[in-house]
Amino acid sequence: LRVTVTHKILEESVEWLRYDFREQTENSAVIALSWEKRMIPFKVEVNTQKLQIAAFVNDFKTTRPPEDYIQAANYCLRHNIALDTALAWMDRAIYFRIMGQKTFRTFSTKAAILLKLERKQEADALMQEALPLGTAMDVHFYARTLLTAGQTQAAFTVFKSNYEKYPEEFVTNVGMGRAHSAIKEFKKANTYLRQALPKAPDNLNKTSVERMIEDLNQNRDINVPRQ
């Protein structure tokens, strides 16, 4: 490797030859060679996303378990890249005759890609298949994503169906608290959270519910973070 560099004078001498990686970003880093009173930095830059997608494509030339496709698809979702490719990977994760699996995670990941591609009707239909396969916690966090997306009524429906399926669970009672709080029914929300409180699995969750009850007593929506 031969590059044009600019020498920098150091205030203190470096006795042993040293290489430092500075100014690191997702796609680049400055490599600095330091020795005696000189530092010689040069920048290395690559298209990390392009290389990562190429690595996924190469890996998926052979049959892989669904979790590998989910990981790759989530990478594409986070960076909003190669979504059509990610959709094809999830079809393999779900429908491939040898290792395909119809699970909450495979369906919900594919649905998230469809939403990114502005194919909401297909995404909603897929989630209807996914919901019966999810645990109480899976469904709870899906409902919370709907709340975050401003789909309050859809979130309420999901929270309610989750509670009806698992009425004694801590998480479903919290979910109903969030559901009623989102539509400003603070007294009803408070009832569910008080039912959840003795079911809290640890002190962290107990403290969280206590804080939510305090907010409800002040007619504050628990889905809106405190200022």
Side-chain angles (χ1 to χ4, degrees):
L1 174 66
R2 191 171 291 196
V3 294
T4 302
V5 299
T6 301
H7 292 234
K8 294 185 177 180
I9 304 300
L10 299 173
E11 292 183 3
E12 296 184 4
S13 181
V14 176
E15 184 174 353
W16 297 94
L17 176 63
R18 188 177 73 209
Y19 291 92
D20 295 311
F21 294 85
R22 301 164 174 248
E23 300 174 31
Q24 295 182 45
T25 70
E26 183 178 350
N27 295 310
S28 67
V30 172
I31 301 176
L33 179 158
S34 300
W35 197 15
E36 294 188 342
K37 288 205 169 186
R38 289 190 182 276
M39 182 175 71
I40 306 171
F42 60 94
K43 188 175 185 179
V44 176
E45 191 167 18
V46 296
N47 188 331
T48 305
Q49 293 178 8
K50 183 178 179 179
L51 289 174
Q52 182 61 75
I53 295 299
F56 285 139
V57 169
N58 185 64
D59 287 344
F60 297 158
K61 288 179 181 178
T62 58
T63 303
R64 304 299 289 260
E67 285 298 320
D68 288 2
Y69 294 115
I70 291 171
Q71 181 183 14
N74 280 325
Y75 181 87
C76 294
L77 281 167
R78 286 195 304 274
H79 295 90
N80 198 26
I81 58 173
L83 295 176
D84 288 326
T85 301
L87 193 61
W89 290 338
M90 290 315 303
D91 281 339
R92 291 177 68 181
I94 297 168
Y95 304 113
F96 191 59
R97 60 185 177 83
I98 297 176
M99 299 188 71
Q101 295 179 7
K102 294 182 178 181
T103 66
F104 181 86
R105 289 201 68 203
T106 55
F107 279 142
S108 61
T109 303
K110 181 179 177 180
I113 298 168
L114 289 168
L115 276 177
K116 278 274 191 180
L117 292 170
E118 299 183 355
R119 293 161 61 178
K120 184 177 183 303
Q121 189 172 356
E122 293 174 71
D124 290 345
L126 197 60
M127 283 309 302
Q128 292 307 306
E129 291 187 67
L131 289 173
L133 304 174
T135 64
M137 192 67 74
D138 288 332
V139 176
H140 176 80
F141 280 108
Y142 171 64
R144 289 194 64 179
T145 65
L146 291 175
L147 274 184
T148 302
Q151 299 180 48
T152 304
Q153 191 53 54
F156 190 99
T157 300
V158 174
F159 279 128
K160 188 172 184 292
S161 65
N162 202 27
Y163 174 79
E164 289 172 348
K165 189 174 181 180
Y166 305 103
E168 301 301 321
E169 294 287 331
F170 166 76
V171 70
T172 59
N173 280 275
V174 172
M176 286 303 288
R178 288 189 176 279
H180 284 284
S181 178
I183 59 174
K184 305 297 187 274
E185 292 181 345
F186 299 125
K187 287 185 178 179
K188 286 186 178 180
N190 213 328
T191 299
Y192 284 104
L193 287 176
R194 290 188 181 281
Q195 291 174 185
L197 191 58
K199 303 176 188 290
D202 52 46
N203 286 332
L204 184 64
N205 279 284
K206 182 180 178 182
T207 300
S208 176
V209 171
E210 287 172 342
R211 284 170 60 87
M212 287 192 280
I213 290 172
E214 288 176 10
D215 285 342
L216 291 172
N217 289 335
Q218 298 297 319
N219 290 330
R220 289 197 295 258
D221 183 2
I222 60 175
N223 300 296
V224 178
R226 289 187 181 187
Q227 299 297 321

